[in-house]
Amino acid sequence: MTIVNEMTFQLQTDGKRCLYEQIYEHIRREIREGKLLAGEKLPSTRFLAEYLQVARSTVDYAYGQLLSEGYIEARPCKGYFVCPIEELLVLEETVVLPERTSGEEEFGERNFAVDFSPYDIDMSGFPFGVWKKITRNILTCANSDLFARGEAQGDDELRRTIARYLHSSRGVNCRPEQVIVGAGNDYLLLLLEKILGQHVRIAMENPTYTRSYRMFRSFAYRIETVDMDEFGMRADKLEQANVRVAYVMPSHQFPTGTVMPIGRRMELLKWADGAPDRYLIEDDYDSEFRFRGKPIPALQASDRHGRVIYMGTFSKAIAPAIRIGFMVLPDALLERYRREYAFYSCTVSRIDQSILNEFIRDGYFERHLNKMRKIYQGKHELLLECLQSMRESFRISGENAGLHLLLTSKRKILERELVRKAAENGVRVYGLSESMVEESPESTTVLLGFGGLSGEEIQRGAELLKKAWQL
Amino acid sequence: MTIVNEMTFQLQTDGKRCLYEQIYEHIRREIREGKLLAGEKLPSTRFLAEYLQVARSTVDYAYGQLLSEGYIEARPCKGYFVCPIEELLVLEETVVLPERTSGEEEFGERNFAVDFSPYDIDMSGFPFGVWKKITRNILTCANSDLFARGEAQGDDELRRTIARYLHSSRGVNCRPEQVIVGAGNDYLLLLLEKILGQHVRIAMENPTYTRSYRMFRSFAYRIETVDMDEFGMRADKLEQANVRVAYVMPSHQFPTGTVMPIGRRMELLKWADGAPDRYLIEDDYDSEFRFRGKPIPALQASDRHGRVIYMGTFSKAIAPAIRIGFMVLPDALLERYRREYAFYSCTVSRIDQSILNEFIRDGYFERHLNKMRKIYQGKHELLLECLQSMRESFRISGENAGLHLLLTSKRKILERELVRKAAENGVRVYGLSESMVEESPESTTVLLGFGGLSGEEIQRGAELLKKAWQL
């Protein structure tokens, strides 16, 4: 009986560690280190209790735990024996916590004085106060219901609010049942992949929104790029592309800012009607930020045969941390979703859904959008003004592109040059080719985002660019 | 010039509706209804402005919007013309909002006096006060950083806290880099599908957790059920099953409550080591709720060759609305994730991550677990006591099953009968076959969950069952 004989069994009786745990751990260690071998008999609980001067129930408890974990077994009328355990000796108790692997991505190592990122937004206008107030109120009134599991599609109230908002602001026609709430666009695309099925051939414009492109590529979708003209994706080329789904951003295409006119929209819808199970994914990303005139209605608003999957997110219009997006499914896909995937749990907490619901329902969202639209419009105009003197050397476009402008060199200077020279002068600009998803002749266009910059930064950035490009 | 001639063009000048919008909408409607035909010339802005007695800029603005949306085009020196638009006539402006489709699932239509659901938890013990306090504090101190986009894997701080918690409570050995935070287990399985790849052959026990089964089935995984014995999944059968991945719940199997002993664990790990790219998914769901002895350590704690994918969730231990789960990836899969899928945005808001982080870090989680363990232990013992007199007719098992017990009829009464008779007496019990994922001989076992019931309900439910089953 090793345990007793070895006399290494020193119980700490200072009350810091529970006695049964010490017994359990000692025996477990002996077994794992091969000091107690398979088949060996353990002392009886009565014997060990007397030997260690502890209550018998303490030893019972320790043996019970060892039994549960399978280190020992009880043979009726014979006592406790060590179990044979395959390869147990390889186990070590030491915790392996290696250092953080080096070679992690280090983005933005270089410090830019001004970063014209087309992806940044202005968070200074975010109504933190209102958001906090709503959160406080919701938590104060919260009953345990709010902490219970909600509907898989998202809570009914939020879906009603979204449907109402989409109808009034974007002309989208849908019932709340068609709305699926999810934790961001990436998740919703993952869900959509399930609904649409595998091996889908999908058409995208080139350049396009590379985030969606990478998602589709990670789905092993076959992606066909379809030529664009001034109106967006060419319907005749789409017809030839032999695809089942087309991904478009009709309200303003990223990054070109092209607004798809109603005529082209009808052509795309006609294409979708031309064969069963053809769909248009309308990414209405960022459509709130149009600075001239009314918002362009959604493509879904013109869809009469259930061919458009409408997607949107609150991450850009409210805050990136608000991981709430939604999609509106046409009936045929809704049915497929309900039949096959409606058991996937909702990915947004009910509390967050309630906060967003009140934020929209009580008009704060619209007020926030109006405010941000003005702020962004101001920045848009300021940037245009600052770039005025560059018009001799650059064509400036993208007035409908949202939070960035496009500058195309009239002197055919390659984007690589433009980006490099800007960087040398402390300014980050973005080559159009970053949004290219197919080999293309090298562009002479760069993107200048202004969403996240202050007025001073815009002015300073423009000055530095003039210096960099010697204008 | 239809617009002018038709004289239906009544501007409302009461200031309620903006003038340019009225002009825009009128012309748009005329085009959509086919009253203005493709190629038709519109009046000049100057003419229309005079005619309508509005500023010329108002008409400019309306025409601008129509141009943007592609209803009209400008021909240089000629004026504005209606665009040819394919199939435009099919469009109608009316909003179609059909009634909610009937035939929606109607679960729980029958009103049960007592529902022994094995899935419900007790929310009355949830520390709402603490949760609210932490939320308030976080929002008060929040800077705009917290509303910015976070790390794709989840915020570093939360991942550190989870790694520390898992090590101390479950013996899991991992670096924070291995932890992926996501909005619930379903999402994490979707992500894992991407990492593991398609067409995986996966082994599951039978009965098993049907939620995971349905997820795997929706992935088009080939599922092989592998026989269990008293120690859980049989390793010899697993070897024969020709699978690449096995899904197990070693700490307590759902629904049987089987605790996998260390010997069987080592056999499974040996199986996983036997070929490249073999993995064990350890679902450690609900492992916090063990009422006798210490928690059983995780299988991952014995994994020395990076073969275990460890998954857990806070939905059950904290609240179902907290949509936060996590998985711990072994290095080979972590590398694949980082290379291919690390661009998928995190599905949990940074605010929610911060709240959870503080809740765990400051010891509230452990306190909550200790409290709930006592509450559940009390219910567990009460239910056992109430069922005492049934032991002649039923074998009662599942003392390690967590929040339910299993009753197996000694008189071979089929579960269907047991469920039906219980229902007739107002009590809902759950047949074991609900957890079966393969045709099996009809069981004589029912599950009685107690997590969500009060003491009185447990007593009343047991009384009603005795009456129902004539004991």
Side-chain angles (χ1 to χ4, degrees):
Chain A
M1 280 184 281
T2 331
I3 295 167
V4 180
N5 293 341
E6 281 200 355
M7 294 307 286
T8 55
F9 204 172
Q10 304 272 334
L11 287 187
Q12 291 171 10
T13 51
D14 55 3
K16 276 192 192 151
R17 297 187 55 224
C18 148
L19 291 172
Y20 101 84
E21 262 194 58
Q22 295 184 48
I23 299 170
Y24 151 78
E25 276 174 11
H26 178 84
I27 300 178
R28 184 163 168 265
R29 194 166 44 240
E30 298 279 301
I31 297 174
R32 290 167 80 102
E33 291 174 357
K35 294 177 185 159
L36 275 171
L37 296 175
E40 244 177 293
K41 187 172 184 299
L42 267 67
S44 73
T45 54
R46 179 200 298 259
F47 179 90
L48 190 58
E50 274 171 18
Y51 178 82
L52 295 171
Q53 295 287 301
V54 299
R56 191 163 160 196
S57 63
T58 302
V59 179
D60 276 342
Y61 224 59
Y63 278 26
Q65 185 74 22
L66 291 164
L67 271 171
S68 298
E69 297 188 16
Y71 286 97
I72 62 173
E73 59 188 344
R75 297 188 194 151
C77 311
K78 290 196 173 161
Y80 294 98
F81 294 82
V82 176
C83 289
I85 298 166
E86 180 145 14
E87 288 196 358
L88 193 56
L89 291 180
V90 301
L91 286 177
E92 295 144 48
E93 278 288 352
T94 46
V95 183
V96 195
L97 285 177
E99 286 305 292
R100 194 176 246 272
T101 46
S102 66
E104 305 252 7
E105 306 115 330
E106 292 194 13
F107 285 132
E109 202 188 2
R110 182 165 200 157
N111 263 329
F112 291 99
V114 180
D115 183 345
F116 280 106
S117 166
Y119 310 104
D120 284 356
I121 65 171
D122 187 342
M123 283 298 297
S124 69
F126 183 74
F128 290 104
V130 170
W131 196 265
K132 288 176 194 178
K133 195 188 77 187
I134 295 177
T135 306
R136 259 197 310 272
N137 286 350
I138 282 178
L139 284 176
T140 306
C141 312
N143 49 26
S144 55
D145 261 16
L146 206 57
F147 289 88
R149 182 188 287 275
E151 291 174 64
Q153 270 186 254
D155 285 349
D156 191 52
E157 236 182 293
L158 176 60
R159 287 188 285 110
R160 279 178 196 283
T161 301
I162 290 175
R164 228 176 1 244
Y165 164 71
L166 289 180
H167 183 244
S168 70
S169 78
R170 314 285 307 119
V172 168
N173 290 320
C174 69
R175 310 183 307 281
E177 295 96 282
Q178 290 173 266
V179 178
I180 318 263
V181 173
N185 260 11
D186 294 356
Y187 168 71
L188 289 166
L189 285 178
L190 275 167
L191 179 58
L192 188 58
E193 183 203 10
K194 294 287 168 221
I195 300 169
L196 287 175
Q198 289 176 359
H199 313 299
V200 167
R201 294 173 62 100
I202 188 166
M204 297 187 90
E205 292 150 323
N206 188 30
T208 186
Y209 188 46
T210 43
R211 194 163 187 87
S212 301
Y213 173 77
R214 292 176 74 188
M215 289 300 295
F216 294 135
R217 213 180 40 175
S218 81
F219 300 167
Y221 273 15
R222 174 75 180 272
I223 300 168
E224 300 286 339
T225 56
V226 170
D227 288 348
M228 291 176 72
D229 58 18
E230 61 197 301
F231 303 134
M233 185 180 275
R234 281 181 55 180
D236 54 336
K237 297 282 183 185
L238 176 59
E239 195 70 60
Q240 294 159 18
N242 186 24
V243 296
R244 183 154 85 74
V245 178
Y247 171 89
V248 286
M249 294 164 276
S251 298
H252 60 210
Q253 204 264 357
F254 187 91
T256 62
T258 304
V259 177
M260 192 181 285
I262 182 74
R264 180 61 53 85
R265 291 171 183 226
M266 298 313 293
E267 286 172 34
L268 290 189
L269 287 169
K270 193 186 167 199
W271 166 82
D273 269 340
D277 223 22
R278 275 189 187 166
Y279 293 98
L280 294 159
I281 300 177
E282 173 175 26
D283 189 344
D284 207 26
Y285 178 73
D286 220 10
S287 59
E288 292 88 355
F289 299 128
R290 179 171 150 75
F291 311 124
R292 290 177 55 108
K294 290 157 55 72
I296 306 287
L299 171 62
Q300 202 269 7
S302 302
D303 175 25
R304 285 297 166 272
H305 300 107
R307 294 286 148 211
V308 174
I309 300 153
Y310 178 86
M311 306 194 73
T313 172
F314 294 102
S315 301
K316 195 121 182 187
I318 299 184
I322 309 303
R323 306 302 307 151
I324 311 185
F326 55 86
M327 62 182 172
V328 176
L329 292 180
D331 281 324
L333 295 181
L334 182 65
E335 207 187 301
R336 216 180 285 167
Y337 162 77
R338 293 230 161 145
R339 205 173 49 230
E340 313 264 357
Y341 306 105
F343 69 96
Y344 286 16
S345 317
C346 186
T347 44
V348 185
S349 88
R350 298 194 72 185
I351 297 167
D352 292 352
Q353 292 186 56
S354 302
I355 297 170
L356 178 62
N357 181 52
E358 286 201 15
F359 191 74
I360 304 173
R361 190 199 59 198
D362 295 352
Y364 296 112
F365 183 51
E366 211 169 319
R367 240 170 289 165
H368 173 59
L369 282 182
N370 287 337
K371 177 178 161 193
M372 292 317 296
R373 210 176 283 124
K374 278 200 199 99
I375 290 176
Y376 288 137
Q377 179 168 14
K379 294 184 182 186
H380 181 251
E381 280 164 14
L382 177 63
L383 180 57
L384 273 175
E385 202 183 297
C386 294
L387 299 179
Q388 196 55 39
S389 67
M390 294 196 190
R391 285 195 187 266
E392 266 182 42
S393 317
F394 289 94
R395 191 165 58 78
I396 298 172
S397 60
E399 66 163 0
N400 291 314
L403 305 185
H404 68 268
L405 290 172
L406 295 96
L407 270 65
T408 305
S409 167
K410 290 181 180 169
R411 288 187 275 149
K412 306 278 181 221
I413 302 171
L414 295 177
E415 67 162 64
R416 174 172 41 164
E417 274 300 287
L418 296 169
V419 170
R420 187 180 59 76
K421 284 193 177 149
E424 283 168 9
N425 285 269
V427 182
R428 189 165 184 188
V429 298
Y430 294 75
L432 180 66
S433 63
E434 287 188 21
S435 303
M436 294 288 191
V437 294
E438 203 177 54
E439 289 273 355
S440 313
E442 193 167 1
S443 106
T444 53
T445 301
V446 291
L447 272 62
L448 267 63
F450 52 82
L453 298 179
S454 68
E456 292 86 64
E457 285 171 319
I458 290 174
Q459 284 172 314
R460 180 157 163 64
E463 283 313 311
L464 287 169
L465 282 182
K466 279 176 213 166
K467 200 176 134 216
W469 296 336
Q470 295 169 338
L471 301 174
Chain B
M1 281 185 278
T2 331
I3 295 168
V4 181
N5 293 342
E6 278 201 356
M7 294 307 287
T8 55
F9 204 172
Q10 303 274 331
L11 287 185
Q12 290 170 12
T13 50
D14 53 5
K16 277 192 191 150
R17 296 186 56 224
C18 148
L19 290 173
Y20 101 84
E21 260 194 60
Q22 296 184 48
I23 299 170
Y24 151 77
E25 275 173 12
H26 178 85
I27 300 177
R28 183 162 169 267
R29 194 165 47 238
E30 298 279 301
I31 298 175
R32 290 167 82 100
E33 291 174 358
K35 291 178 187 159
L36 275 170
L37 296 175
E40 244 177 291
K41 185 170 187 299
L42 268 65
S44 72
T45 54
R46 178 199 298 259
F47 179 89
L48 191 58
E50 274 170 19
Y51 178 81
L52 294 171
Q53 296 286 302
V54 297
R56 190 161 161 198
S57 63
T58 304
V59 178
D60 275 341
Y61 225 58
Y63 277 24
Q65 185 73 21
L66 290 164
L67 271 171
S68 297
E69 298 187 14
Y71 286 97
I72 63 175
E73 58 188 344
R75 297 187 193 153
C77 313
K78 289 196 174 159
Y80 295 97
F81 294 82
V82 176
C83 290
I85 298 168
E86 182 144 14
E87 287 196 359
L88 194 58
L89 291 180
V90 302
L91 286 176
E92 296 144 49
E93 277 289 353
T94 45
V95 183
V96 195
L97 285 175
E99 285 307 292
R100 194 177 245 271
T101 46
S102 66
E104 306 252 4
E105 307 115 329
E106 293 197 9
F107 285 130
E109 200 187 4
R110 184 165 199 157
N111 263 329
F112 291 99
V114 179
D115 183 346
F116 280 106
S117 166
Y119 310 104
D120 284 356
I121 66 171
D122 187 342
M123 284 297 297
S124 69
F126 182 75
F128 289 104
V130 170
W131 195 265
K132 287 175 195 178
K133 196 188 74 187
I134 295 177
T135 306
R136 259 198 309 272
N137 286 351
I138 282 178
L139 284 176
T140 305
C141 313
N143 50 24
S144 56
D145 261 15
L146 205 58
F147 289 88
R149 182 189 286 275
E151 290 174 64
Q153 273 186 250
D155 285 349
D156 191 52
E157 237 182 294
L158 176 60
R159 287 188 284 110
R160 280 179 196 281
T161 301
I162 290 175
R164 226 171 8 241
Y165 164 72
L166 289 180
H167 184 244
S168 69
S169 78
R170 314 286 308 119
V172 167
N173 289 320
C174 70
R175 308 183 308 281
E177 294 95 283
Q178 290 173 266
V179 178
I180 318 263
V181 173
N185 261 9
D186 293 355
Y187 168 71
L188 289 165
L189 286 178
L190 276 166
L191 179 58
L192 188 58
E193 182 202 11
K194 294 288 167 218
I195 300 169
L196 288 175
Q198 289 176 359
H199 312 299
V200 167
R201 293 173 63 99
I202 189 167
M204 298 188 88
E205 293 150 324
N206 187 32
T208 186
Y209 188 47
T210 43
R211 192 163 187 87
S212 301
Y213 173 77
R214 291 176 74 187
M215 288 300 294
F216 295 135
R217 213 179 42 175
S218 81
F219 298 168
Y221 274 16
R222 174 75 180 269
I223 300 167
E224 300 287 338
T225 56
V226 169
D227 287 349
M228 291 177 72
D229 58 18
E230 61 197 299
F231 303 134
M233 185 180 277
R234 282 181 55 179
D236 54 337
K237 296 282 184 186
L238 177 59
E239 195 70 60
Q240 294 160 19
N242 186 24
V243 296
R244 183 154 85 74
V245 178
Y247 170 89
V248 286
M249 294 165 276
S251 297
H252 59 209
Q253 203 264 356
F254 187 91
T256 62
T258 304
V259 177
M260 192 181 286
I262 182 74
R264 180 61 53 85
R265 290 171 184 226
M266 297 313 294
E267 287 172 33
L268 290 189
L269 286 169
K270 194 186 166 199
W271 166 82
D273 268 341
D277 222 22
R278 275 190 188 166
Y279 293 98
L280 293 159
I281 300 176
E282 173 176 26
D283 189 344
D284 207 27
Y285 178 72
D286 220 9
S287 60
E288 294 88 355
F289 300 127
R290 179 171 149 75
F291 310 125
R292 290 176 54 109
K294 289 158 55 71
I296 304 288
L299 170 63
Q300 202 268 6
S302 303
D303 176 24
R304 285 295 167 274
H305 301 107
R307 293 287 148 208
V308 174
I309 300 153
Y310 178 86
M311 306 194 74
T313 171
F314 294 102
S315 301
K316 196 122 180 185
I318 299 184
I322 311 303
R323 305 303 308 152
I324 312 186
F326 55 85
M327 62 182 171
V328 177
L329 291 181
D331 281 325
L333 294 181
L334 182 65
E335 206 187 300
R336 214 179 288 168
Y337 162 76
R338 293 228 164 146
R339 206 176 46 232
E340 312 265 357
Y341 306 105
F343 70 96
Y344 286 17
S345 318
C346 186
T347 44
V348 185
S349 88
R350 298 194 73 184
I351 298 168
D352 292 352
Q353 292 187 57
S354 303
I355 298 170
L356 179 62
N357 181 52
E358 286 202 15
F359 191 74
I360 304 173
R361 190 196 60 198
D362 296 351
Y364 297 111
F365 183 50
E366 212 168 320
R367 240 169 288 163
H368 174 59
L369 281 183
N370 288 336
K371 177 178 161 193
M372 292 317 296
R373 211 176 281 122
K374 278 200 197 99
I375 291 176
Y376 288 138
Q377 179 167 16
K379 293 184 182 186
H380 181 250
E381 280 163 13
L382 177 64
L383 181 57
L384 273 175
E385 202 183 297
C386 294
L387 299 179
Q388 197 54 40
S389 67
M390 293 195 191
R391 286 196 184 266
E392 266 182 41
S393 317
F394 288 94
R395 192 165 58 77
I396 298 173
S397 60
E399 66 162 1
N400 292 314
L403 305 185
H404 67 270
L405 290 171
L406 295 95
L407 270 65
T408 305
S409 168
K410 292 181 179 170
R411 290 186 274 150
K412 307 279 182 218
I413 301 171
L414 295 177
E415 65 161 65
R416 175 173 38 166
E417 274 298 286
L418 296 169
V419 170
R420 186 179 59 76
K421 282 191 179 153
E424 282 168 10
N425 285 268
V427 183
R428 189 165 183 188
V429 297
Y430 294 75
L432 179 66
S433 63
E434 285 188 22
S435 302
M436 296 286 192
V437 293
E438 203 178 53
E439 288 275 351
S440 313
E442 193 168 1
S443 105
T444 54
T445 301
V446 292
L447 272 64
L448 267 64
F450 53 82
L453 297 179
S454 68
E456 294 86 62
E457 286 172 319
I458 290 175
Q459 286 173 311
R460 181 160 161 62
E463 285 311 311
L464 287 170
L465 283 182
K466 281 177 212 166
K467 199 176 136 218
W469 297 336
Q470 294 170 339
L471 302 171

